Amino acid sequence: MHPNYQLDESQWDAVSTTEGPLLVLAGAGSGKTRVLTSRTAYMLTEKAIAANRLLLVTFTTKAAKEMKNRMRFFKDISKTDLNTLVVGTFHSVFYKMLMHHQPSQWQPNKLMKWDWQREQIIKKASGELGIDEKEFAFDQALSQISYWKNHLLMPSEIKTNNDWEELVKSLYQHYEQTKLESQQFDFDDMLLGCYQLLEENQGLLEKYQERFSYILVDEFQDINKVQYKIVTMLAKKSKNLCVVGDDDQSIYSFRGSDPSYILNFQQEFPNPKIVTLNYNYRSNHAIVSSGKNVISQNKNRRDKSILAVRENGNPPLQFFPYDEEEEATMIVTDIKEKIENGATPNDFAVLFRTNSSSRAIFERLVASSLPFHIEQDGESFYLRRTVRKALAYLKLAYHPDDQEAIKELLGALFIKQSSLRDLKAFSILHDCSLLEALAKLTDIHPFQQKKLKKLIPLFKQLRQFSPREALEWVEKEMGLNEYVKKHGNEGNVIDKGSDDLRDLKVAAASHERISDFLQHVDHIIEKAKEFKGQPETETSIKLMTVHRAKGLEFKTVYILSVVEGGFPHDYSLESLREGDLAPLEEERRLMYVAITRAMEGLYLSIPQNRRGKKAHPSRFIREMNTMKL
């Protein structure tokens, strides 16, 4: 072993193999970043490879910065070499190529950086297609378009599976046309553009194959089709491609990532050297063993033996709250106790499968004095589409002139939003509330008029119920269930409207009066706004999805709702019943990622009831304690 590099045997093997195709299987906590930086330093110093011939591709800007920073500690690497070295994300590296060769086409001011810019384009098109802007999940449509683009599928090549995809395909067509006319581009176009540039220009491709004769790709299990195509084109001549990743941590299929690229690496690059980094330096033996037991149940994976360096430590602990509310209370109480005994808030992470599962823990932490930070992509739970509709009924029972609530109600009743103008006019003309004015609408079907006349008097009756009873009444007697059936999970297999409604009933059950519950909802919405975009502080408890937690580590980790239908998610169990094993295998990889974030303490919550129904412990709990025979 070289004195400059403090590495174990398998790490050194990965560092000192510089020629030919190399696949480094880097298990959780196996010192991957150390290997990447040491390997680069070794190539620059020991092998005297020119810095401008190396290309290091990462998935995040943070990872790229960390690699450059760590390389500053190698005393033999000159500042010039460090500045010459190309280290960056797929987007940053390949966008620079486009800027260099086609500057007029790829001006930075033409980049659509924000989701609202992309949304604006498809919202404009939605009017022409007769889509109700208030009722359509535009964020999901944009995700689907991005997924198709990353798979190199243009609108003409797409075979749709349902009406929703057919609609999105039309929006995609319009989206591409609009961008073409305005000469704008999005982040996906950077990769597509670079792929097309190299594909169509053999001389240029050869120039870059010569220039980057040593390529290293981090997090290779997360690569998608267009990224894979570019990397393999560049490495085809030299074959000096080192890919580092862990097929057991491939969890981004919804973005177009595919673990088959790492599993079938030798098909593109025959006879590669394969090195497994098999020591986990992060977690104690019991945690490593539990993670290994779970992931070894997957059939579609590379078998690897991971050993814990840290022998001593507590085994994962299971706890059994009554429901989501008690789950949150127990976790906050436990964290408080541990902090009183000397722990610091940043020792803790609470991980959840989907954003909606974080509602109760968020509310409990808001009510506590503990500092915390929530990593959230979506909006607050109470601003989700179905939840807004349900709450609108409760609000109108007390405030029949609430305009926002009326807008939501129109959506729930399948009445177009333009009717609001008529309602305002009728309200003034007949000196009545907006809610009462609904009975006077004329530009709707006769069956809708009949329904509205029956519906309006029911709002007053709502006041006599508790919040939970009121929601049951809204769903069954006031027709919300019809809306949920039609629009509840349009284009989304993960978040269903019916699940949101059940979650809302659980939240409502903690309050005796509707007015108190609505006040609580407003308070939490405001708090969620405060937290959105708030910079992360070092001394805070972290709340995040398992997807967000990948690559991070914490002394103590709590995993919420480890029950069937929660984790693994319902949709994977539905797919399994239809004979498709892939989604359940991805859920198991997610569970493996969640388990291996913990260094010392791992707590698994197994609520007895979830979403108001009896819950059963997750199959992953059973697997944690059993080796696959």
Side-chain angles (χ1 to χ4, degrees):
M1 201 169 293
H2 200 281
N4 286 359
Y5 309 96
Q6 292 179 312
L7 304 164
D8 66 40
E9 209 171 310
S10 57
Q11 288 175 333
W12 176 249
D13 203 6
V15 164
S16 55
T17 304
T18 60
E19 307 302 308
L22 171 66
L23 169 60
V24 180
L25 296 169
S30 62
K32 177 174 67 97
T33 308
R34 171 179 283 197
V35 168
L36 294 174
T37 48
S38 299
R39 187 175 187 274
T40 308
Y42 178 82
M43 291 169 84
L44 293 172
T45 56
E46 310 287 327
K47 291 281 185 175
I49 295 166
N52 66 349
R53 292 182 66 199
L54 268 61
L55 169 62
L56 279 68
V57 188
T58 63
F59 266 80
T60 64
T61 311
K62 187 180 169 189
K65 273 184 189 163
E66 190 181 350
M67 278 174 73
K68 274 222 163 177
N69 286 338
R70 285 209 198 182
M71 271 186 267
R72 293 180 208 285
F73 293 105
F74 289 91
K75 58 180 187 302
D76 296 335
I77 299 179
S78 69
K79 271 191 177 172
T80 311
D81 276 354
L82 260 182
N83 294 333
T84 311
L85 203 59
V86 179
V87 184
T89 62
F90 280 98
H91 287 92
S92 68
V93 170
F94 299 134
Y95 179 51
K96 276 177 190 150
M97 283 189 194
L98 289 171
M99 279 285 288
H100 185 70
H101 297 287
Q102 299 173 332
S104 58
Q105 227 177 300
W106 300 95
Q107 286 304 308
N109 62 334
K110 291 291 186 181
L111 168 65
M112 295 189 293
K113 284 183 187 172
W114 312 108
D115 283 346
W116 64 262
Q117 293 169 295
R118 297 165 67 222
E119 215 164 281
Q120 222 170 24
I121 295 176
I122 59 171
K123 274 186 177 174
K124 197 177 170 207
S126 69
E128 295 164 29
L129 294 167
I131 295 169
D132 187 338
E133 200 179 292
K134 199 102 173 108
E135 294 309 307
F136 193 73
F138 288 103
D139 54 341
Q140 287 161 34
L142 285 171
S143 294
Q144 183 63 55
I145 289 169
S146 186
Y147 179 89
W148 283 329
K149 289 177 83 166
N150 286 323
H151 275 83
L152 299 171
L153 290 170
M154 294 300 104
S156 58
E157 301 164 302
I158 292 162
K159 290 180 176 62
T160 57
N161 297 313
N162 51 47
D163 293 346
W164 186 82
E165 282 190 7
E166 196 58 47
L167 262 183
V168 178
K169 179 181 167 178
S170 303
L171 291 174
Y172 179 16
Q173 219 148 3
H174 183 93
Y175 178 72
E176 291 302 311
Q177 189 58 40
T178 307
K179 282 197 293 102
L180 197 66
E181 287 163 10
S182 60
Q183 294 181 319
Q184 288 177 293
F185 61 94
D186 61 24
F187 285 106
D188 296 324
D189 292 324
M190 291 177 180
L191 300 183
L192 273 172
C194 189
Y195 169 69
Q196 285 158 355
L197 177 73
L198 297 174
E199 177 87 338
E200 291 160 12
N201 192 328
Q202 189 60 31
L204 191 64
L205 173 61
E206 284 170 13
K207 184 185 154 195
Y208 276 113
Q209 285 173 335
E210 197 64 42
R211 160 85 199 270
F212 296 126
S213 50
Y214 292 89
I215 300 171
L216 185 148
V217 183
D218 188 15
E219 303 286 9
F220 194 67
Q221 76 282 345
D222 295 334
I223 205 162
N224 63 35
K225 190 170 184 174
V226 65
Q227 292 165 339
Y228 180 77
K229 288 278 188 191
I230 297 170
V231 166
T232 51
M233 281 162 86
L234 290 173
K236 210 169 185 78
K237 197 173 177 185
S238 73
K239 306 277 193 295
N240 295 328
L241 173 64
C242 168
V243 300
V244 183
D246 182 6
D247 54 297
D248 290 334
Q249 295 185 69
S250 176
I251 58 172
Y252 293 111
S253 65
F254 63 92
R255 284 191 201 156
S257 301
D258 190 339
S260 68
Y261 295 125
I262 198 169
L263 291 170
N264 305 324
F265 182 66
Q266 59 266 49
Q267 287 179 9
E268 190 83 39
F269 294 92
N271 306 313
K273 178 158 184 178
I274 299 174
V275 176
T276 302
L277 305 183
N278 52 359
Y279 285 102
N280 181 309
Y281 292 90
R282 176 188 296 150
S283 313
N284 70 40
H285 172 73
I287 292 169
V288 170
S289 176
S290 297
K292 195 161 63 176
N293 290 351
V294 169
I295 201 63
S296 64
Q297 305 293 320
N298 268 0
K299 291 181 173 66
N300 191 27
R301 67 184 287 267
R302 285 181 180 270
D303 197 27
K304 50 192 92 70
S305 171
I306 305 293
L307 305 164
V309 171
R310 299 169 60 192
E311 275 299 320
N312 299 327
N314 298 319
L317 198 77
Q318 300 166 15
F319 63 104
F320 300 85
Y322 175 74
D323 65 359
E324 298 93 325
E325 297 293 328
E326 192 179 33
E327 175 180 67
T329 304
M330 286 173 81
I331 291 171
V332 171
T333 306
D334 193 52
I335 291 175
K336 273 185 175 170
E337 205 174 289
K338 285 180 166 63
I339 288 172
E340 279 164 20
N341 289 324
T344 57
N346 56 307
D347 289 340
F348 304 97
V350 181
L351 307 184
F352 30 89
R353 174 62 189 84
T354 58
N355 278 314
S356 59
S357 315
S358 65
R359 178 200 57 79
I361 188 77
F362 178 78
E363 292 178 14
R364 209 64 81 256
L365 281 167
V366 162
S368 80
S369 55
L370 297 170
F372 74 97
H373 177 80
I374 184 161
E375 292 268 357
Q376 210 163 3
D377 296 318
E379 67 274 278
S380 157
F381 169 75
Y382 296 111
L383 293 176
R384 293 165 78 87
R385 204 157 43 132
T386 303
V387 174
R388 290 197 317 261
K389 301 279 178 286
L391 291 171
Y393 284 85
L394 306 195
K395 287 175 182 175
L396 289 166
Y398 286 86
H399 308 288
D401 275 317
D402 185 326
Q403 262 193 56
E404 283 306 310
I406 282 284
K407 279 184 198 171
E408 296 296 348
L409 183 67
L410 289 174
L413 299 171
F414 308 108
I415 296 169
K416 52 188 185 293
Q417 290 294 318
S418 56
S419 295
L420 186 63
R421 288 195 304 271
D422 298 337
L423 288 181
K424 287 177 183 172
F426 290 142
S427 167
I428 295 162
L429 198 62
H430 299 280
D431 192 22
C432 64
S433 68
L434 288 172
L435 184 63
E436 289 163 331
L438 273 172
K440 304 180 194 310
L441 278 182
T442 51
D443 65 337
I444 54 174
H445 299 290
F447 80 88
Q448 287 179 306
Q449 289 176 326
K450 201 174 167 186
K451 195 172 167 184
L452 284 174
K453 285 189 170 69
K454 273 187 190 171
L455 185 69
I456 293 158
L458 299 181
F459 280 88
K460 275 184 184 159
Q461 288 184 46
L462 272 183
R463 296 189 207 172
Q464 69 195 14
F465 297 121
S466 70
R468 191 189 167 105
E469 290 166 341
L471 289 168
E472 296 274 2
W473 177 263
V474 163
E475 186 184 10
K476 296 189 174 92
E477 306 297 326
M478 298 179 79
L480 183 63
N481 56 358
E482 288 171 38
Y483 171 81
V484 173
K485 273 179 200 163
K486 189 165 181 194
H487 281 307
N489 61 329
E490 203 172 47
N492 194 341
V493 292
I494 295 289
D495 295 315
K496 293 186 176 179
S498 53
D499 291 340
D500 284 345
L501 201 48
R502 284 204 281 271
D503 284 336
L504 185 62
K505 285 182 211 165
V506 173
S510 305
H511 300 267
E512 286 177 22
R513 296 193 316 217
I514 292 175
S515 54
D516 292 344
F517 179 48
L518 291 174
Q519 213 173 344
H520 167 76
V521 166
D522 288 342
H523 173 62
I524 295 298
I525 288 171
E526 282 312 306
K527 282 288 173 191
K529 275 184 200 162
E530 282 174 33
F531 276 88
K532 203 159 191 177
Q534 204 179 63
E536 187 180 329
T537 57
E538 271 191 28
T539 53
S540 60
I541 299 155
K542 305 296 185 286
L543 264 60
M544 62 184 80
T545 61
V546 182
H547 283 100
R548 284 254 183 174
K550 187 166 166 287
L552 304 176
E553 60 185 31
F554 306 92
K555 276 189 183 170
T556 305
V557 169
Y558 300 87
I559 308 176
L560 301 185
S561 271
V562 191
V563 294
E564 290 288 284
F567 205 169
H569 194 284
D570 257 332
Y571 95 95
S572 68
L573 302 180
E574 282 165 23
S575 300
L576 186 66
R577 285 190 282 273
E578 288 162 17
D580 182 6
L581 189 65
L584 182 63
E585 293 225 332
E586 178 143 333
E587 290 292 300
R588 197 173 275 116
R589 294 194 290 269
L590 257 182
M591 188 65 185
Y592 175 69
V593 168
I595 290 168
T596 54
R597 298 313 93 200
M599 297 159 77
E600 294 169 13
L602 177 62
Y603 296 84
L604 301 127
S605 172
I606 307 166
Q608 296 162 54
N609 296 281
R610 178 174 173 268
R611 294 185 161 147
K613 289 183 173 179
K614 186 169 169 49
H616 302 280
S618 165
R619 64 195 63 205
F620 300 153
I621 294 289
R622 188 173 64 251
E623 292 168 4
M624 281 175 83
N625 307 315
T626 53
M627 279 296 284
K628 187 181 179 186
L629 296 174

